[in-house]
Amino acid sequence: MKNYISILLLSLVCFAGCMRHRHDPRLVTVAGIVADKPKEALARLDSIDAEQLSDDDRGFYDFLTVKGQDKADVPLTKDSLI
């Protein structure tokens, strides 16, 4: 019986750890346009307060910022993001 409970608890922990995180909808919108309209994507990113984002969304925000700057041929000034 103890093995059954242990397996059940381990399965629940694994299931909870594998759940997908939903990103901020504004970041998802930017991700959809960053390749085609990088300057518009950067403008939208500038309107988002990055301090209010979760840690996962902050990483996604930083990724989109670097990708947008690369696509818009903006020279990188912060190498700490890379």
Side-chain angles (χ1 to χ4, degrees), residues 31-55:
I33 65 170
V34 71
D36 298 327
K37 302 175 184 174
K39 290 185 181 184
E40 181 181 339
L42 290 173
R44 288 187 184 201
L45 287 171
D46 285 341
S47 70
I48 298 173
D49 183 13
E51 297 297 322
Q52 301 296 323
L53 298 173
S54 68
D55 288 339

Side-chain angles (χ1 to χ4, degrees), residues 1-9:
M1 183 69 164
K2 288 183 181 180
N3 286 338
Y4 176 73
I5 293 172
S6 297
I7 292 172
L8 179 64
L9 288 175

